[in-house]
Amino acid sequence: EATGRAKVGLLRRFGLAADQPGGGTGSPFPPLSPNRMAVPKPEELKDFRESFRAKKQACFILGASGETGKELLAEILRQQIFSTVTLIGRRKLDLEGPLYSSVKQEVVDFEKLDESAAAFQGHDVGFCCLGTTRSKAGAAGFVRVDRDYVQHSAELAKAGGCRHFVLQSTKGADASSSFLYLRVKGEVESRVKAIGFDRCSIFRPAVLLCDRQESRPSEWVTRKFLGAVAYICPTFYSVPTVTVAQAMVNNVVMPGPGNKKVEILENADIHALGNIK
């Protein structure tokens, strides 16, 4: 009981506490859904992985240079579940060594994406970790990258034969939100769902914990604070990028959710699925 009071006290000190997990009165995030996805046992996941690997499927990754994308590429290569991995982006990444022998790279101009439609052909699974920030690209640039580029890429992927599309969104995504970030994420979710993939998995992580190569002092302080919050309440307000990547890969090898074409994985779901050993 004392430990519980200490947890709540720390969260209240920083304005994060609430009667429900979703956030305090001033939080733009809704309460966590009481629904939880079914998480396989480790031995079941191992069987799913072996069965998936035998199919020798191909995938592409959008946003492989980002924090989550880098972890995703590393996890895919570690598990060796795809016969071919294609990175689609604005520039080639510096990848050397036998580990990357199955990795191809396609350089595209997202402003003229139809000219690179061939890059999206022949993939069974598509992962999208593409995104920028308002501070880097401005409001209009953020909308163009996080909504328009993603939607256009998804449309080309579907036309190219992609059956399963995995989208990194964010906790609290809502097309009707007054917050630009959450509204744009909600809009792109709706647009991707409407494309009609055989299976669409939408990941809604909370604040991402990672060690950025380029980091401002304020970001360092924020990461340290959220790391402390994560220690107390590990599934509420944050999630490591490596956990998101592991959850994405584990999700792909698992069978789809029955007759549902779209599945949404909230932050707690990501923690549960990404921490299966």
Side-chain angles (χ1 to χ4, degrees), residues 74-86:
E75 185 65 18
I76 287 175
L77 296 180
R78 185 185 71 80
Q79 293 196 22
Q80 297 182 328
I81 57 172
F82 290 101
S83 60
T84 304
V85 180
T86 301

Side-chain angles (χ1 to χ4, degrees), residues 123-198:
H123 307 290
D124 302 286
V125 180
F127 295 93
C128 183
C129 303
L130 190 65
T132 187
T133 63
R134 185 172 181 173
S135 61
K136 286 184 178 180
F142 166 68
V143 174
R144 188 164 65 253
V145 174
D146 282 56
R147 187 191 66 190
D148 300 343
Y149 287 179
V150 172
Q151 177 188 357
H152 199 175
S153 297
E155 290 170 343
L156 291 176
K158 178 66 165 62
C162 179
R163 298 190 299 271
H164 187 182
F165 194 79
V166 181
L167 173 66
Q168 179 182 349
S169 181
T170 189
K171 176 180 171 69
D174 182 355
S176 62
S177 175
S178 59
F179 293 86
L180 176 66
Y181 182 76
L182 300 181
R183 182 172 70 251
V184 168
K185 292 299 187 180
E187 289 172 351
V188 75
E189 283 188 8
S190 298
R191 296 183 183 194
V192 169
K193 285 190 286 188
I195 292 173
F197 289 98
D198 292 351

